Amino acid sequence: TDYVYLNGYYGIGTLGGGMFYKDTESLESDNGGTIIVDGDGIRWKRANVHEEYHASWFGISTDIDDNSPLIQNALNVMPTNTILIFGPGIYECKQTIVVPDQSGMYVKAISLQGSVKRSGYSKTIGTMLKYTGPNPDTLTPFIDFRGSTGDKRYLASISDMIFEGPGKDSNIVGLWFYIAVNCVFERTSCYDFKNGIQIDNYFYYAYFNDVA
């Protein structure tokens, strides 16, 4: 058998399925989304993986109460200059998600994209990442685009997404950047955070359209 069709990530009929092919020469690790290592140590790789990755491939689901580690794993696995696409619905998260370093002064240029085009003002239609974790004593990011040193640059896009926090009196920052370069933010909203979008240093060649 050289090909296997996966019926679903969590079971038949769930999202995240697809065609996989056998790679007997590879020694890559199981990454929980595009490479699966079976009990015999054989690598099965998801077919037709290009620049677009789907969150469901990594088990990210509207049916679980903490998607943070799964989203973090996807970002760790994905190469730079790719897109992570979320289906519609509410994805609950309880931990900070950090965009990994790429090289030098940049984090990975991974774009976040919802699957439903929508007005930035809407809170009820489309794709939502919702922080439901604890409220810390100091300012803490929900999604941290500053890298391991806190001073790296992000250059990618965020579109058709809703980010919701635990309340304006919390210490959670929705999207926290140090420098945003060549970024596109469109049809995106950040609600109920201490600060919805925080940019510590500056942004340039950045485009904001229909951002609430």
Side-chain angles (χ1 to χ4, degrees), residues 167-203:
K168 64 180 182 179
D169 296 326
S170 71
N171 280 318
I172 301 297
V173 176
L175 311 178
W176 197 339
F177 303 84
Y178 180 69
I179 294 176
V181 185
N182 288 331
C183 294
V184 176
F185 303 93
E186 57 184 354
R187 298 183 301 278
T188 294
S189 55
C190 295
Y191 289 95
D192 294 329
F193 293 101
K194 181 75 170 181
N195 301 321
I197 298 175
Q198 179 168 325
I199 303 176
D200 291 337
N201 198 303
Y202 55 85
F203 60 91

PDB file of all heavy atoms in Angstrom, residues 167-203:
ATOM      1  N   GLY A 167     -12.178  40.224  28.670  1.00  0.00           N
ATOM      2  CA  GLY A 167     -12.747  41.479  29.154  1.00  0.00           C
ATOM      3  C   GLY A 167     -11.739  42.610  29.103  1.00  0.00           C
ATOM      4  O   GLY A 167     -10.522  42.386  29.186  1.00  0.00           O
ATOM      5  N   LYS A 168     -12.228  43.829  28.992  1.00  0.00           N
ATOM      6  CA  LYS A 168     -11.323  44.985  28.878  1.00  0.00           C
ATOM      7  C   LYS A 168     -10.567  45.253  30.170  1.00  0.00           C
ATOM      8  O   LYS A 168      -9.545  45.953  30.160  1.00  0.00           O
ATOM      9  CB  LYS A 168     -12.117  46.216  28.466  1.00  0.00           C
ATOM     10  CG  LYS A 168     -13.148  46.671  29.495  1.00  0.00           C
ATOM     11  CD  LYS A 168     -13.903  47.889  29.011  1.00  0.00           C
ATOM     12  CE  LYS A 168     -14.907  48.372  30.047  1.00  0.00           C
ATOM     13  NZ  LYS A 168     -15.628  49.580  29.597  1.00  0.00           N
ATOM     14  N   ASP A 169     -11.037  44.721  31.289  1.00  0.00           N
ATOM     15  CA  ASP A 169     -10.345  44.904  32.563  1.00  0.00           C
ATOM     16  C   ASP A 169      -9.322  43.803  32.836  1.00  0.00           C
ATOM     17  O   ASP A 169      -8.699  43.783  33.907  1.00  0.00           O
ATOM     18  CB  ASP A 169     -11.360  44.941  33.710  1.00  0.00           C
ATOM     19  CG  ASP A 169     -12.304  46.137  33.598  1.00  0.00           C
ATOM     20  OD1 ASP A 169     -11.840  47.194  33.133  1.00  0.00           O
ATOM     21  OD2 ASP A 169     -13.483  46.003  33.955  1.00  0.00           O
ATOM     22  N   SER A 170      -9.132  42.917  31.893  1.00  0.00           N
ATOM     23  CA  SER A 170      -8.140  41.854  32.053  1.00  0.00           C
ATOM     24  C   SER A 170      -6.749  42.390  31.711  1.00  0.00           C
ATOM     25  O   SER A 170      -6.588  43.533  31.278  1.00  0.00           O
ATOM     26  CB  SER A 170      -8.465  40.678  31.127  1.00  0.00           C
ATOM     27  OG  SER A 170      -8.225  41.030  29.766  1.00  0.00           O
ATOM     28  N   ASN A 171      -5.736  41.549  31.884  1.00  0.00           N
ATOM     29  CA  ASN A 171      -4.366  41.903  31.503  1.00  0.00           C
ATOM     30  C   ASN A 171      -3.936  41.178  30.231  1.00  0.00           C
ATOM     31  O   ASN A 171      -2.746  40.978  30.009  1.00  0.00           O
ATOM     32  CB  ASN A 171      -3.401  41.573  32.641  1.00  0.00           C
ATOM     33  CG  ASN A 171      -3.403  42.636  33.721  1.00  0.00           C
ATOM     34  OD1 ASN A 171      -3.421  43.835  33.432  1.00  0.00           O
ATOM     35  ND2 ASN A 171      -3.426  42.210  34.975  1.00  0.00           N
ATOM     36  N   ILE A 172      -4.888  40.796  29.394  1.00  0.00           N
ATOM     37  CA  ILE A 172      -4.579  40.077  28.167  1.00  0.00           C
ATOM     38  C   ILE A 172      -4.560  41.050  26.980  1.00  0.00           C
ATOM     39  O   ILE A 172      -5.494  41.825  26.780  1.00  0.00           O
ATOM     40  CB  ILE A 172      -5.611  38.964  27.903  1.00  0.00           C
ATOM     41  CG1 ILE A 172      -5.633  37.974  29.073  1.00  0.00           C
ATOM     42  CG2 ILE A 172      -5.294  38.239  26.600  1.00  0.00           C
ATOM     43  CD1 ILE A 172      -4.333  37.235  29.286  1.00  0.00           C
ATOM     44  N   VAL A 173      -3.465  40.999  26.216  1.00  0.00           N
ATOM     45  CA  VAL A 173      -3.341  41.754  24.966  1.00  0.00           C
ATOM     46  C   VAL A 173      -3.671  40.802  23.819  1.00  0.00           C
ATOM     47  O   VAL A 173      -3.116  39.698  23.735  1.00  0.00           O
ATOM     48  CB  VAL A 173      -1.911  42.303  24.791  1.00  0.00           C
ATOM     49  CG1 VAL A 173      -1.768  42.998  23.443  1.00  0.00           C
ATOM     50  CG2 VAL A 173      -1.573  43.266  25.928  1.00  0.00           C
ATOM     51  N   GLY A 174      -4.557  41.204  22.928  1.00  0.00           N
ATOM     52  CA  GLY A 174      -4.995  40.305  21.856  1.00  0.00           C
ATOM     53  C   GLY A 174      -3.868  39.906  20.927  1.00  0.00           C
ATOM     54  O   GLY A 174      -3.430  38.748  20.908  1.00  0.00           O
ATOM     55  N   LEU A 175      -3.384  40.845  20.124  1.00  0.00           N
ATOM     56  CA  LEU A 175      -2.298  40.615  19.175  1.00  0.00           C
ATOM     57  C   LEU A 175      -1.170  41.573  19.532  1.00  0.00           C
ATOM     58  O   LEU A 175      -1.336  42.794  19.457  1.00  0.00           O
ATOM     59  CB  LEU A 175      -2.769  40.869  17.743  1.00  0.00           C
ATOM     60  CG  LEU A 175      -4.087  40.195  17.324  1.00  0.00           C
ATOM     61  CD1 LEU A 175      -4.452  40.581  15.894  1.00  0.00           C
ATOM     62  CD2 LEU A 175      -4.010  38.691  17.475  1.00  0.00           C
ATOM     63  N   TRP A 176      -0.023  41.027  19.914  1.00  0.00           N
ATOM     64  CA  TRP A 176       1.070  41.864  20.425  1.00  0.00           C
ATOM     65  C   TRP A 176       2.259  41.767  19.474  1.00  0.00           C
ATOM     66  O   TRP A 176       2.822  40.700  19.255  1.00  0.00           O
ATOM     67  CB  TRP A 176       1.462  41.409  21.829  1.00  0.00           C
ATOM     68  CG  TRP A 176       2.262  42.420  22.605  1.00  0.00           C
ATOM     69  CD1 TRP A 176       2.992  43.458  22.115  1.00  0.00           C
ATOM     70  CD2 TRP A 176       2.392  42.487  24.032  1.00  0.00           C
ATOM     71  NE1 TRP A 176       3.572  44.178  23.127  1.00  0.00           N
ATOM     72  CE2 TRP A 176       3.221  43.605  24.314  1.00  0.00           C
ATOM     73  CE3 TRP A 176       1.899  41.711  25.078  1.00  0.00           C
ATOM     74  CZ2 TRP A 176       3.575  43.945  25.627  1.00  0.00           C
ATOM     75  CZ3 TRP A 176       2.248  42.060  26.377  1.00  0.00           C
ATOM     76  CH2 TRP A 176       3.078  43.162  26.647  1.00  0.00           C
ATOM     77  N   PHE A 177       2.625  42.928  18.914  1.00  0.00           N
ATOM     78  CA  PHE A 177       3.738  43.019  17.967  1.00  0.00           C
ATOM     79  C   PHE A 177       4.833  43.923  18.538  1.00  0.00           C
ATOM     80  O   PHE A 177       4.557  44.816  19.340  1.00  0.00           O
ATOM     81  CB  PHE A 177       3.283  43.638  16.638  1.00  0.00           C
ATOM     82  CG  PHE A 177       2.158  42.910  15.967  1.00  0.00           C
ATOM     83  CD1 PHE A 177       0.834  43.166  16.324  1.00  0.00           C
ATOM     84  CD2 PHE A 177       2.394  41.983  14.969  1.00  0.00           C
ATOM     85  CE1 PHE A 177      -0.218  42.513  15.708  1.00  0.00           C
ATOM     86  CE2 PHE A 177       1.346  41.318  14.348  1.00  0.00           C
ATOM     87  CZ  PHE A 177       0.040  41.588  14.714  1.00  0.00           C
ATOM     88  N   TYR A 178       6.038  43.704  18.077  1.00  0.00           N
ATOM     89  CA  TYR A 178       7.114  44.673  18.326  1.00  0.00           C
ATOM     90  C   TYR A 178       7.201  45.611  17.132  1.00  0.00           C
ATOM     91  O   TYR A 178       7.077  46.818  17.265  1.00  0.00           O
ATOM     92  CB  TYR A 178       8.445  43.966  18.571  1.00  0.00           C
ATOM     93  CG  TYR A 178       9.582  44.939  18.826  1.00  0.00           C
ATOM     94  CD1 TYR A 178       9.616  45.684  19.997  1.00  0.00           C
ATOM     95  CD2 TYR A 178      10.593  45.120  17.890  1.00  0.00           C
ATOM     96  CE1 TYR A 178      10.635  46.597  20.230  1.00  0.00           C
ATOM     97  CE2 TYR A 178      11.616  46.028  18.120  1.00  0.00           C
ATOM     98  CZ  TYR A 178      11.641  46.765  19.289  1.00  0.00           C
ATOM     99  OH  TYR A 178      12.655  47.672  19.507  1.00  0.00           O
ATOM    100  N   ILE A 179       7.402  45.043  15.948  1.00  0.00           N
ATOM    101  CA  ILE A 179       7.396  45.813  14.703  1.00  0.00           C
ATOM    102  C   ILE A 179       6.606  45.026  13.668  1.00  0.00           C
ATOM    103  O   ILE A 179       6.787  43.818  13.523  1.00  0.00           O
ATOM    104  CB  ILE A 179       8.827  46.075  14.176  1.00  0.00           C
ATOM    105  CG1 ILE A 179       9.603  46.990  15.139  1.00  0.00           C
ATOM    106  CG2 ILE A 179       8.792  46.704  12.777  1.00  0.00           C
ATOM    107  CD1 ILE A 179      11.053  47.215  14.734  1.00  0.00           C
ATOM    108  N   ALA A 180       5.716  45.700  12.954  1.00  0.00           N
ATOM    109  CA  ALA A 180       4.940  45.078  11.883  1.00  0.00           C
ATOM    110  C   ALA A 180       5.386  45.682  10.551  1.00  0.00           C
ATOM    111  O   ALA A 180       5.302  46.890  10.357  1.00  0.00           O
ATOM    112  CB  ALA A 180       3.449  45.319  12.104  1.00  0.00           C
ATOM    113  N   VAL A 181       5.859  44.823   9.646  1.00  0.00           N
ATOM    114  CA  VAL A 181       6.435  45.284   8.381  1.00  0.00           C
ATOM    115  C   VAL A 181       5.683  44.643   7.215  1.00  0.00           C
ATOM    116  O   VAL A 181       5.494  43.423   7.192  1.00  0.00           O
ATOM    117  CB  VAL A 181       7.927  44.890   8.284  1.00  0.00           C
ATOM    118  CG1 VAL A 181       8.541  45.476   7.011  1.00  0.00           C
ATOM    119  CG2 VAL A 181       8.693  45.332   9.507  1.00  0.00           C
ATOM    120  N   ASN A 182       5.261  45.449   6.262  1.00  0.00           N
ATOM    121  CA  ASN A 182       4.597  44.914   5.070  1.00  0.00           C
ATOM    122  C   ASN A 182       3.403  44.032   5.422  1.00  0.00           C
ATOM    123  O   ASN A 182       3.100  43.071   4.715  1.00  0.00           O
ATOM    124  CB  ASN A 182       5.582  44.110   4.209  1.00  0.00           C
ATOM    125  CG  ASN A 182       6.588  44.996   3.505  1.00  0.00           C
ATOM    126  OD1 ASN A 182       6.301  46.148   3.197  1.00  0.00           O
ATOM    127  ND2 ASN A 182       7.766  44.474   3.259  1.00  0.00           N
ATOM    128  N   CYS A 183       2.744  44.331   6.511  1.00  0.00           N
ATOM    129  CA  CYS A 183       1.621  43.508   6.966  1.00  0.00           C
ATOM    130  C   CYS A 183       0.306  43.986   6.349  1.00  0.00           C
ATOM    131  O   CYS A 183       0.135  45.168   6.038  1.00  0.00           O
ATOM    132  CB  CYS A 183       1.504  43.575   8.485  1.00  0.00           C
ATOM    133  SG  CYS A 183       2.900  42.835   9.344  1.00  0.00           S
ATOM    134  N   VAL A 184      -0.605  43.041   6.206  1.00  0.00           N
ATOM    135  CA  VAL A 184      -1.960  43.359   5.771  1.00  0.00           C
ATOM    136  C   VAL A 184      -2.921  42.859   6.841  1.00  0.00           C
ATOM    137  O   VAL A 184      -2.927  41.677   7.180  1.00  0.00           O
ATOM    138  CB  VAL A 184      -2.286  42.700   4.421  1.00  0.00           C
ATOM    139  CG1 VAL A 184      -3.737  42.956   4.041  1.00  0.00           C
ATOM    140  CG2 VAL A 184      -1.347  43.201   3.333  1.00  0.00           C
ATOM    141  N   PHE A 185      -3.706  43.760   7.395  1.00  0.00           N
ATOM    142  CA  PHE A 185      -4.743  43.423   8.362  1.00  0.00           C
ATOM    143  C   PHE A 185      -6.081  43.808   7.751  1.00  0.00           C
ATOM    144  O   PHE A 185      -6.313  44.991   7.484  1.00  0.00           O
ATOM    145  CB  PHE A 185      -4.547  44.177   9.677  1.00  0.00           C
ATOM    146  CG  PHE A 185      -3.206  43.947  10.331  1.00  0.00           C
ATOM    147  CD1 PHE A 185      -2.151  44.808  10.076  1.00  0.00           C
ATOM    148  CD2 PHE A 185      -3.014  42.886  11.195  1.00  0.00           C
ATOM    149  CE1 PHE A 185      -0.919  44.612  10.676  1.00  0.00           C
ATOM    150  CE2 PHE A 185      -1.786  42.682  11.806  1.00  0.00           C
ATOM    151  CZ  PHE A 185      -0.725  43.551  11.539  1.00  0.00           C
ATOM    152  N   GLU A 186      -6.949  42.858   7.511  1.00  0.00           N
ATOM    153  CA  GLU A 186      -8.228  43.210   6.910  1.00  0.00           C
ATOM    154  C   GLU A 186      -9.348  42.296   7.394  1.00  0.00           C
ATOM    155  O   GLU A 186      -9.134  41.129   7.702  1.00  0.00           O
ATOM    156  CB  GLU A 186      -8.146  43.192   5.382  1.00  0.00           C
ATOM    157  CG  GLU A 186      -7.713  41.895   4.758  1.00  0.00           C
ATOM    158  CD  GLU A 186      -7.583  42.012   3.245  1.00  0.00           C
ATOM    159  OE1 GLU A 186      -7.949  43.074   2.699  1.00  0.00           O
ATOM    160  OE2 GLU A 186      -7.134  41.053   2.617  1.00  0.00           O
ATOM    161  N   ARG A 187     -10.528  42.915   7.498  1.00  0.00           N
ATOM    162  CA  ARG A 187     -11.726  42.217   7.971  1.00  0.00           C
ATOM    163  C   ARG A 187     -11.410  41.429   9.241  1.00  0.00           C
ATOM    164  O   ARG A 187     -11.680  40.229   9.350  1.00  0.00           O
ATOM    165  CB  ARG A 187     -12.282  41.311   6.864  1.00  0.00           C
ATOM    166  CG  ARG A 187     -12.726  42.066   5.617  1.00  0.00           C
ATOM    167  CD  ARG A 187     -13.333  41.140   4.582  1.00  0.00           C
ATOM    168  NE  ARG A 187     -12.395  40.111   4.168  1.00  0.00           N
ATOM    169  CZ  ARG A 187     -11.446  40.286   3.248  1.00  0.00           C
ATOM    170  NH1 ARG A 187     -11.320  41.465   2.638  1.00  0.00           N
ATOM    171  NH2 ARG A 187     -10.636  39.295   2.927  1.00  0.00           N
ATOM    172  N   THR A 188     -10.836  42.127  10.210  1.00  0.00           N
ATOM    173  CA  THR A 188     -10.378  41.508  11.457  1.00  0.00           C
ATOM    174  C   THR A 188     -10.824  42.346  12.640  1.00  0.00           C
ATOM    175  O   THR A 188     -10.807  43.579  12.574  1.00  0.00           O
ATOM    176  CB  THR A 188      -8.841  41.368  11.448  1.00  0.00           C
ATOM    177  OG1 THR A 188      -8.468  40.433  10.434  1.00  0.00           O
ATOM    178  CG2 THR A 188      -8.302  40.894  12.780  1.00  0.00           C
ATOM    179  N   SER A 189     -11.218  41.675  13.713  1.00  0.00           N
ATOM    180  CA  SER A 189     -11.646  42.409  14.899  1.00  0.00           C
ATOM    181  C   SER A 189     -11.039  41.795  16.145  1.00  0.00           C
ATOM    182  O   SER A 189     -10.814  40.590  16.226  1.00  0.00           O
ATOM    183  CB  SER A 189     -13.177  42.414  15.001  1.00  0.00           C
ATOM    184  OG  SER A 189     -13.680  41.094  14.978  1.00  0.00           O
ATOM    185  N   CYS A 190     -10.762  42.660  17.137  1.00  0.00           N
ATOM    186  CA  CYS A 190     -10.239  42.244  18.444  1.00  0.00           C
ATOM    187  C   CYS A 190     -11.136  42.852  19.515  1.00  0.00           C
ATOM    188  O   CYS A 190     -11.218  44.084  19.623  1.00  0.00           O
ATOM    189  CB  CYS A 190      -8.804  42.716  18.623  1.00  0.00           C
ATOM    190  SG  CYS A 190      -7.621  41.985  17.496  1.00  0.00           S
ATOM    191  N   TYR A 191     -11.788  42.009  20.304  1.00  0.00           N
ATOM    192  CA  TYR A 191     -12.751  42.476  21.301  1.00  0.00           C
ATOM    193  C   TYR A 191     -12.348  42.017  22.691  1.00  0.00           C
ATOM    194  O   TYR A 191     -11.783  40.939  22.871  1.00  0.00           O
ATOM    195  CB  TYR A 191     -14.146  41.911  21.007  1.00  0.00           C
ATOM    196  CG  TYR A 191     -14.823  42.493  19.798  1.00  0.00           C
ATOM    197  CD1 TYR A 191     -14.744  41.859  18.565  1.00  0.00           C
ATOM    198  CD2 TYR A 191     -15.555  43.672  19.889  1.00  0.00           C
ATOM    199  CE1 TYR A 191     -15.376  42.382  17.448  1.00  0.00           C
ATOM    200  CE2 TYR A 191     -16.194  44.201  18.776  1.00  0.00           C
ATOM    201  CZ  TYR A 191     -16.106  43.553  17.564  1.00  0.00           C
ATOM    202  OH  TYR A 191     -16.734  44.071  16.464  1.00  0.00           O
ATOM    203  N   ASP A 192     -12.711  42.827  23.678  1.00  0.00           N
ATOM    204  CA  ASP A 192     -12.656  42.432  25.089  1.00  0.00           C
ATOM    205  C   ASP A 192     -11.260  42.040  25.558  1.00  0.00           C
ATOM    206  O   ASP A 192     -11.073  41.054  26.275  1.00  0.00           O
ATOM    207  CB  ASP A 192     -13.644  41.287  25.365  1.00  0.00           C
ATOM    208  CG  ASP A 192     -15.083  41.745  25.183  1.00  0.00           C
ATOM    209  OD1 ASP A 192     -15.360  42.930  25.428  1.00  0.00           O
ATOM    210  OD2 ASP A 192     -15.924  40.918  24.791  1.00  0.00           O
ATOM    211  N   PHE A 193     -10.271  42.809  25.126  1.00  0.00           N
ATOM    212  CA  PHE A 193      -8.905  42.688  25.635  1.00  0.00           C
ATOM    213  C   PHE A 193      -8.520  43.999  26.321  1.00  0.00           C
ATOM    214  O   PHE A 193      -9.136  45.046  26.095  1.00  0.00           O
ATOM    215  CB  PHE A 193      -7.912  42.437  24.500  1.00  0.00           C
ATOM    216  CG  PHE A 193      -8.065  41.110  23.816  1.00  0.00           C
ATOM    217  CD1 PHE A 193      -8.708  41.023  22.583  1.00  0.00           C
ATOM    218  CD2 PHE A 193      -7.577  39.955  24.382  1.00  0.00           C
ATOM    219  CE1 PHE A 193      -8.852  39.809  21.937  1.00  0.00           C
ATOM    220  CE2 PHE A 193      -7.710  38.728  23.742  1.00  0.00           C
ATOM    221  CZ  PHE A 193      -8.346  38.656  22.518  1.00  0.00           C
ATOM    222  N   LYS A 194      -7.481  43.959  27.144  1.00  0.00           N
ATOM    223  CA  LYS A 194      -6.920  45.191  27.691  1.00  0.00           C
ATOM    224  C   LYS A 194      -6.495  46.095  26.541  1.00  0.00           C
ATOM    225  O   LYS A 194      -6.835  47.272  26.494  1.00  0.00           O
ATOM    226  CB  LYS A 194      -5.719  44.852  28.587  1.00  0.00           C
ATOM    227  CG  LYS A 194      -5.064  46.063  29.224  1.00  0.00           C
ATOM    228  CD  LYS A 194      -5.908  46.585  30.360  1.00  0.00           C
ATOM    229  CE  LYS A 194      -5.165  47.645  31.156  1.00  0.00           C
ATOM    230  NZ  LYS A 194      -5.986  48.137  32.291  1.00  0.00           N
ATOM    231  N   ASN A 195      -5.714  45.516  25.618  1.00  0.00           N
ATOM    232  CA  ASN A 195      -5.368  46.177  24.356  1.00  0.00           C
ATOM    233  C   ASN A 195      -5.651  45.180  23.242  1.00  0.00           C
ATOM    234  O   ASN A 195      -5.165  44.045  23.302  1.00  0.00           O
ATOM    235  CB  ASN A 195      -3.897  46.581  24.314  1.00  0.00           C
ATOM    236  CG  ASN A 195      -3.515  47.520  25.443  1.00  0.00           C
ATOM    237  OD1 ASN A 195      -4.279  48.406  25.806  1.00  0.00           O
ATOM    238  ND2 ASN A 195      -2.342  47.314  26.005  1.00  0.00           N
ATOM    239  N   GLY A 196      -6.391  45.587  22.239  1.00  0.00           N
ATOM    240  CA  GLY A 196      -6.723  44.673  21.153  1.00  0.00           C
ATOM    241  C   GLY A 196      -5.510  44.359  20.303  1.00  0.00           C
ATOM    242  O   GLY A 196      -5.119  43.197  20.151  1.00  0.00           O
ATOM    243  N   ILE A 197      -4.911  45.380  19.723  1.00  0.00           N
ATOM    244  CA  ILE A 197      -3.683  45.246  18.945  1.00  0.00           C
ATOM    245  C   ILE A 197      -2.653  46.190  19.547  1.00  0.00           C
ATOM    246  O   ILE A 197      -2.904  47.392  19.647  1.00  0.00           O
ATOM    247  CB  ILE A 197      -3.901  45.590  17.459  1.00  0.00           C
ATOM    248  CG1 ILE A 197      -4.927  44.624  16.832  1.00  0.00           C
ATOM    249  CG2 ILE A 197      -2.594  45.545  16.689  1.00  0.00           C
ATOM    250  CD1 ILE A 197      -5.284  44.966  15.395  1.00  0.00           C
ATOM    251  N   GLN A 198      -1.531  45.671  19.950  1.00  0.00           N
ATOM    252  CA  GLN A 198      -0.473  46.495  20.534  1.00  0.00           C
ATOM    253  C   GLN A 198       0.800  46.355  19.704  1.00  0.00           C
ATOM    254  O   GLN A 198       1.269  45.239  19.449  1.00  0.00           O
ATOM    255  CB  GLN A 198      -0.196  46.079  21.980  1.00  0.00           C
ATOM    256  CG  GLN A 198       0.918  46.889  22.641  1.00  0.00           C
ATOM    257  CD  GLN A 198       0.981  46.666  24.134  1.00  0.00           C
ATOM    258  OE1 GLN A 198      -0.053  46.484  24.784  1.00  0.00           O
ATOM    259  NE2 GLN A 198       2.174  46.691  24.691  1.00  0.00           N
ATOM    260  N   ILE A 199       1.351  47.494  19.263  1.00  0.00           N
ATOM    261  CA  ILE A 199       2.606  47.527  18.512  1.00  0.00           C
ATOM    262  C   ILE A 199       3.574  48.390  19.315  1.00  0.00           C
ATOM    263  O   ILE A 199       3.385  49.597  19.450  1.00  0.00           O
ATOM    264  CB  ILE A 199       2.405  48.110  17.097  1.00  0.00           C
ATOM    265  CG1 ILE A 199       1.354  47.284  16.337  1.00  0.00           C
ATOM    266  CG2 ILE A 199       3.719  48.127  16.330  1.00  0.00           C
ATOM    267  CD1 ILE A 199       0.998  47.830  14.973  1.00  0.00           C
ATOM    268  N   ASP A 200       4.606  47.776  19.859  1.00  0.00           N
ATOM    269  CA  ASP A 200       5.507  48.469  20.782  1.00  0.00           C
ATOM    270  C   ASP A 200       6.374  49.512  20.099  1.00  0.00           C
ATOM    271  O   ASP A 200       6.612  50.589  20.643  1.00  0.00           O
ATOM    272  CB  ASP A 200       6.417  47.460  21.483  1.00  0.00           C
ATOM    273  CG  ASP A 200       5.653  46.581  22.456  1.00  0.00           C
ATOM    274  OD1 ASP A 200       4.568  47.007  22.901  1.00  0.00           O
ATOM    275  OD2 ASP A 200       6.132  45.477  22.755  1.00  0.00           O
ATOM    276  N   ASN A 201       6.886  49.194  18.915  1.00  0.00           N
ATOM    277  CA  ASN A 201       7.848  50.084  18.282  1.00  0.00           C
ATOM    278  C   ASN A 201       7.200  50.862  17.154  1.00  0.00           C
ATOM    279  O   ASN A 201       6.775  51.974  17.337  1.00  0.00           O
ATOM    280  CB  ASN A 201       9.067  49.279  17.799  1.00  0.00           C
ATOM    281  CG  ASN A 201      10.277  50.146  17.532  1.00  0.00           C
ATOM    282  OD1 ASN A 201      10.207  51.071  16.746  1.00  0.00           O
ATOM    283  ND2 ASN A 201      11.388  49.839  18.195  1.00  0.00           N
ATOM    284  N   TYR A 202       7.077  50.265  15.987  1.00  0.00           N
ATOM    285  CA  TYR A 202       6.437  50.980  14.888  1.00  0.00           C
ATOM    286  C   TYR A 202       5.974  49.988  13.827  1.00  0.00           C
ATOM    287  O   TYR A 202       6.291  48.797  13.873  1.00  0.00           O
ATOM    288  CB  TYR A 202       7.370  52.015  14.261  1.00  0.00           C
ATOM    289  CG  TYR A 202       8.696  51.470  13.794  1.00  0.00           C
ATOM    290  CD1 TYR A 202       8.827  50.885  12.541  1.00  0.00           C
ATOM    291  CD2 TYR A 202       9.827  51.551  14.600  1.00  0.00           C
ATOM    292  CE1 TYR A 202      10.038  50.399  12.103  1.00  0.00           C
ATOM    293  CE2 TYR A 202      11.048  51.063  14.172  1.00  0.00           C
ATOM    294  CZ  TYR A 202      11.150  50.485  12.923  1.00  0.00           C
ATOM    295  OH  TYR A 202      12.359  49.988  12.500  1.00  0.00           O
ATOM    296  N   PHE A 203       5.201  50.485  12.887  1.00  0.00           N
ATOM    297  CA  PHE A 203       4.799  49.688  11.729  1.00  0.00           C
ATOM    298  C   PHE A 203       5.021  50.541  10.494  1.00  0.00           C
ATOM    299  O   PHE A 203       4.919  51.775  10.544  1.00  0.00           O
ATOM    300  CB  PHE A 203       3.335  49.251  11.839  1.00  0.00           C
ATOM    301  CG  PHE A 203       2.343  50.364  11.917  1.00  0.00           C
ATOM    302  CD1 PHE A 203       1.774  50.883  10.771  1.00  0.00           C
ATOM    303  CD2 PHE A 203       1.960  50.893  13.151  1.00  0.00           C
ATOM    304  CE1 PHE A 203       0.841  51.916  10.838  1.00  0.00           C
ATOM    305  CE2 PHE A 203       1.030  51.924  13.228  1.00  0.00           C
ATOM    306  CZ  PHE A 203       0.475  52.431  12.070  1.00  0.00           C
TER     307      PHE A 203
END
